[in-house]
Amino acid sequence: MTKIFNFFIAVLFSVYSSAQTNSESLKESLMTLDEIPSWVLSNIQFPQEAYEYGIAGIEQVCISASWDGKVFITSMLNTLNPAFEKEIVDVISKAPRCRYNGSQPKDIYKYMLIDFYQYIPKNHRFEVRQVTMHTPPRLSNIPSSPFNSRDKFIQWIHNNIRIPSTLKCYSDTILFQYTITKKGRVNNISILQYKSDIIKCALEGLLKKSPKWEPAIADRTDPIDVTICDKIIIKTDNNGILLPLMVYRDDVFCNTRSKITDPDMIVFNPEIKAKYNEEGNFLKNIMCDVSVDKKVVLNGSFVIEKDGTTSHIEILNSSDVKIDSIVKKAIVRTKWIAAVQGETPVRTLYSFGINKQPRKQKQSRKYSYYDIFGKYFIALHADPMRISYRFIQGDGTIQNYPFNSQGLFDYKAYYQGMLYYYKNSAKKNSNISKKYFDKLYKMYVEY
C-alpha cells in the first residue's frame, strides 16, 4: 500500500513539474508586440484571387494586443481589394500570443506596411500594376475621413434602406461587394450572402443611388478603382420596424471581451468607447481658439484616463509650435466619460486628425450698376449701324463694341468695361460724371 501511495505521489510531482516547465517555456516563447510585424510579413502570401483585380501595392495595418496576448487589428482595413484584406485578417488571426506591456502609449500599438507586390512571383509581376501607398476613398458629401468612410457608408445604408413591414423579427447579416471607381461612383455591385430576396433587391437598389465618393489616390496623384467587401446587420422587431444599427466586426478587430488584470494598462478597442462629455464637437471645440492663415494638417493622440481626464498628449506631424501648444492646452481642459472593459473603467488611447483651412476673407460689397453709376446710369440702345463703337475691356484695352450674329449689343462686355473704368479711372467716392454719360448718350443713343 505504501509503495502504491509513493508511486502516486511521484506521478503527481512529475506531471506538476512537467506543467511548470511547459508553462515557463510557453511564457518565454511569447513574442513581444514589436516582433509581431516581422512574423506577419513572413507568413503573408499573395492571394490568387487578387490577380483578377490587376493591381497591388502597399497596405497599412495597425495592430495591438489584448491583456492576455491576443493580437488584433485596431481599425477597419482599407485595402485595394477584398483578397488583400482577407489575407491580412487570416494571417493576423493566427498570430502567436505576445507579451503585453501596455502602460505607455508607445507600447500598445504598432504600424506596419505590407507590400503585396513583393509577394508576387517574378514571372507573374507583368500581370499586375504596381502602386506604392494609396489613400482610401472618402465620401464627398457626408462628413468622414478616408479611414472611417466605410463605417459612415454602412450607416448611410442603414438610414436609407426600406424594409417591408411584412419582415417581422427578421435578422440577417448581409455580405455585399462594390467597386468605387476612379470617378467616385459605386459600380460592380454584388450581394453575396443574404436570406431574403426582398432584402437583396432593396440593398441593390439603394447601392445604385449611393452618395458620391472622392476616389482612392495611388502614388499621390493617380485616381484608381478599389473594391470593398462589407457586411451589414439588418434586424427588425415584431412590428417589422428596423432596429438601430449594430456594427459588424470580425473577431480579429476586437479586443478580448473580459475584465483586465492590470489596472494601468491602456486598452485599444474597448467594449465601450470613451465618450466626449461636453457640448458640441470635440475637434471644433479644441480648434475654436486657433486662427490660421494657411492650411493646417496635424495628427495626434492622447490617453483618456479612468477618471475622464487626459494625459500623454502627443502631436505627431505639426510644424507650428504655437498651434501645438494651443491644441494641447485645449485637450487638457476637455472632459470625458472613460472607456469600459469588463464593466470596469479603463485607460484608452484616442487618436485624432485635424485639417483646418484659413477663414475666408469677407468679400467686399458687390456694387450694382446703379451704385456705381448712380442716377446717370442709362440702358444703352445702341444702333449697330450708326457708328463704329468701342468699349473699355476688362484689362483696360479699348475694343470695338461687340455685337452678336443678330446685331444685338453685348451689354455684359460694356458693363464690365465700365466697371473697370470706374475702379481705375473715376473718383472712388463719387459716381462717374454726368458729362461722361451725356457724351455716351449722344454718341450711341440720341438720334
Side-chain angles (χ1 to χ4, degrees):
M1 186 69 180
T2 302
K3 291 182 179 181
I4 296 175
F5 180 77
N6 290 338
F7 176 76
F8 181 71
I9 293 296
V11 170
L12 283 178
F13 180 77
S14 174
V15 170
Y16 175 77
S17 299
S18 176
Q20 285 290 95
T21 301
N22 290 337
S23 176
E24 290 298 320
S25 175
L26 179 62
K27 186 176 180 179
E28 290 177 1
S29 69
L30 288 175
M31 291 183 177
T32 65
L33 191 58
D34 288 333
E35 295 172 311
I36 294 296
S38 296
W39 183 91
V40 172
L41 293 174
S42 66
N43 284 273
I44 287 285
Q45 297 181 8
F46 190 85
Q48 288 296 315
E49 304 85 26
Y51 282 109
E52 67 180 86
Y53 298 99
I55 190 171
I58 298 173
E59 306 293 355
Q60 302 177 70
V61 186
C62 183
I63 59 173
S64 185
S66 60
W67 67 269
D68 57 352
K70 173 198 168 186
V71 178
F72 63 91
I73 304 170
T74 65
S75 59
M76 289 290 286
L77 297 173
N78 288 281
T79 59
L80 292 167
N81 62 63
F84 293 151
E85 180 170 333
K86 183 177 184 298
E87 178 67 12
I88 293 169
V89 167
D90 286 348
V91 171
I92 292 179
S93 67
K94 298 171 186 174
R97 300 272 166 171
C98 69
R99 295 194 298 274
Y100 185 90
N101 183 23
S103 59
Q104 299 294 323
K106 62 183 177 63
D107 301 324
I108 68 167
Y109 65 91
K110 298 296 170 187
Y111 277 104
M112 59 182 299
L113 301 176
I114 302 174
D115 187 355
F116 274 98
Y117 191 82
Q118 300 303 317
Y119 291 88
I120 305 174
K122 290 185 178 179
N123 60 329
H124 286 286
R125 289 185 179 177
F126 69 92
E127 303 174 30
V128 180
R129 174 190 169 187
Q130 181 182 14
V131 300
T132 55
M133 300 286 286
H134 70 278
T135 59
R138 177 174 59 83
L139 288 161
S140 295
N141 301 317
I142 298 175
S144 62
S145 75
F147 304 101
N148 69 358
S149 283
R150 285 177 65 176
D151 284 340
K152 294 283 186 177
F153 189 44
I154 294 293
Q155 183 69 65
W156 178 85
I157 292 171
H158 192 270
N159 291 346
N160 290 277
I161 196 167
R162 296 292 173 261
I163 307 298
S165 58
T166 52
L167 288 177
K168 299 177 180 180
C169 300
Y170 181 81
S171 179
D172 193 2
T173 301
I174 304 166
L175 179 68
F176 63 101
Q177 186 168 299
Y178 55 97
T179 297
I180 300 173
T181 70
K182 63 183 68 176
K183 293 185 178 179
R185 298 191 180 95
V186 172
N187 284 348
N188 303 327
I189 299 164
S190 299
I191 314 300
L192 306 175
Q193 174 185 299
Y194 58 93
K195 291 181 181 177
S196 167
D197 287 334
I198 296 174
I199 295 294
K200 178 190 176 185
C201 292
L203 183 55
E204 279 180 335
L206 184 59
L207 290 174
K208 290 176 182 178
K209 301 174 183 177
S210 166
K212 186 126 174 42
W213 291 72
E214 298 294 330
I217 302 294
D219 303 327
R220 297 189 176 183
T221 58
D222 191 12
I224 55 170
D225 295 351
V226 297
T227 301
I228 298 170
C229 190
D230 267 325
K231 289 183 179 179
I232 183 171
I233 299 173
I234 297 294
K235 285 189 174 184
T236 62
D237 62 14
N238 53 12
N239 294 315
I241 297 173
L242 187 65
L243 293 173
L245 176 64
M246 295 175 56
V247 178
Y248 180 88
R249 284 286 184 269
D250 283 314
D251 187 59
V252 74
F253 293 95
C254 299
N255 203 339
T256 302
R257 293 185 176 89
S258 59
K259 189 174 180 178
I260 62 173
T261 55
D262 180 359
D264 292 325
M265 71 170 50
I266 297 175
V267 178
F268 237 124
N269 292 6
E271 291 178 278
I272 301 175
K273 292 182 178 181
K275 184 178 179 182
Y276 185 53
N277 196 25
E278 298 182 42
E279 291 185 3
N281 178 276
F282 162 64
L283 291 179
K284 286 183 179 179
N285 287 352
I286 66 170
M287 292 298 287
C288 66
D289 294 330
V290 177
S291 179
V292 297
D293 56 6
K294 61 181 179 180
K295 182 178 178 181
V296 171
V297 178
L298 61 87
N299 296 302
S301 65
F302 55 91
V303 172
I304 300 173
E305 300 289 346
K306 292 179 285 185
D307 61 358
T309 59
T310 58
S311 67
H312 298 86
I313 301 167
E314 184 177 5
I315 307 297
L316 302 179
N317 62 338
S318 172
S319 58
D320 192 314
V321 176
K322 183 178 179 181
I323 291 177
D324 290 0
S325 177
I326 294 173
V327 170
K328 286 181 178 180
K329 288 178 180 178
I331 292 174
V332 168
R333 295 193 298 266
T334 58
K335 299 175 182 177
W336 296 81
I337 298 173
V340 174
Q341 181 78 14
E343 301 182 355
T344 302
V346 294
R347 306 171 75 210
T348 189
L349 191 74
Y350 186 96
S351 299
F352 65 92
I354 293 173
N355 185 335
K356 180 158 184 169
Q357 304 286 348
R359 291 181 180 176
K360 292 182 179 179
Q361 300 262 340
K362 288 187 177 180
Q363 293 184 350
S364 58
R365 178 185 171 192
K366 290 186 177 180
Y367 290 98
S368 69
Y369 296 127
Y370 185 86
D371 290 327
I372 298 172
F373 306 131
K375 61 183 178 180
Y376 302 123
F377 176 77
I378 53 176
L380 292 179
H381 299 284
D383 178 2
M385 302 300 293
R386 184 175 173 84
I387 60 173
S388 176
Y389 306 101
R390 299 201 302 171
F391 76 108
I392 308 170
Q393 250 189 345
D395 61 0
T397 58
I398 305 298
Q399 299 291 338
N400 287 337
Y401 275 123
F403 295 91
N404 60 26
S405 57
Q406 287 78 36
L408 299 177
F409 187 80
D410 188 341
Y411 287 97
K412 181 179 179 181
Y414 170 76
Y415 293 145
Q416 286 175 341
M418 290 292 287
L419 184 60
Y420 178 87
Y421 175 87
Y422 172 74
K423 288 180 176 178
N424 294 276
S425 302
K427 293 180 180 179
K428 300 299 181 182
N429 297 323
S430 63
N431 292 319
I432 294 177
S433 68
K434 182 177 185 302
K435 182 179 178 181
Y436 178 80
F437 276 94
D438 286 343
K439 182 179 178 181
L440 289 177
Y441 191 87
K442 286 178 182 179
M443 185 182 294
Y444 300 126
V445 181
E446 204 170 54
Y447 292 96

